[in-house]
Amino acid sequence: MARENVYLGKSVPDVGEPGLDQLVEVEGICREILEDYRRHRITYKTAMSRLNLLTLIVSRDSDFDTLHPRKKARAIRIIEEYRRKLQSLRYSRGR
């Protein structure tokens, strides 16, 4: 049984090759996760889990190794930045 995509969705356009291979896509996914949390569509735990999954996908994806040597590190820094934003939103809400 094939696993269904967890979070690309239709609101983040696929750029370049099919699948996750561009920094713009990583940032778009992070932005959408944060927006869903802001609009109370998903919980903090779900949002953080999706960011963690995105980090795992980027760290194992060969597209982020072969195309540019520092691309993977930049993608992970983008995800970390959105993780910090999510944490600050959580604490500003009063948990």
Side-chain angles (χ1 to χ4, degrees):
M1 183 167 150
R3 182 172 174 166
E4 183 179 327
N5 287 343
V6 174
Y7 205 89
L8 273 172
K10 295 184 187 209
S11 56
V12 179
D14 197 8
V15 181
E17 297 293 318
L20 187 63
D21 64 341
Q22 300 290 322
L23 293 173
V24 133
E25 293 170 325
V26 171
E27 187 158 10
I29 292 168
C30 289
R31 197 176 321 111
E32 289 299 318
I33 291 170
L34 204 62
E35 187 61 28
D36 282 351
Y37 176 71
R38 280 189 184 125
R39 292 179 183 233
H40 301 281
R41 292 180 185 155
I42 59 175
T43 64
Y44 173 82
K45 181 180 176 182
T46 300
M48 192 58 80
S49 293
R50 288 180 178 173
L51 289 173
N52 290 339
L53 179 61
L54 187 58
T55 302
L56 181 67
I57 290 168
V58 166
S59 67
R60 292 186 177 182
D61 195 342
S62 63
D63 289 336
F64 286 95
D65 283 335
T66 58
L67 297 178
H68 193 280
R70 288 182 257 180
K71 192 173 184 180
K72 181 188 289 189
R74 281 194 281 163
I76 291 174
R77 278 197 306 270
I78 289 169
I79 299 167
E80 288 299 322
E81 174 188 329
Y82 277 89
R83 187 176 281 125
R84 284 191 296 276
K85 287 179 183 181
L86 177 63
Q87 288 171 339
S88 69
L89 277 175
R90 179 185 190 199
Y91 292 119
S92 68
R93 258 191 206 178
R95 269 189 134 184

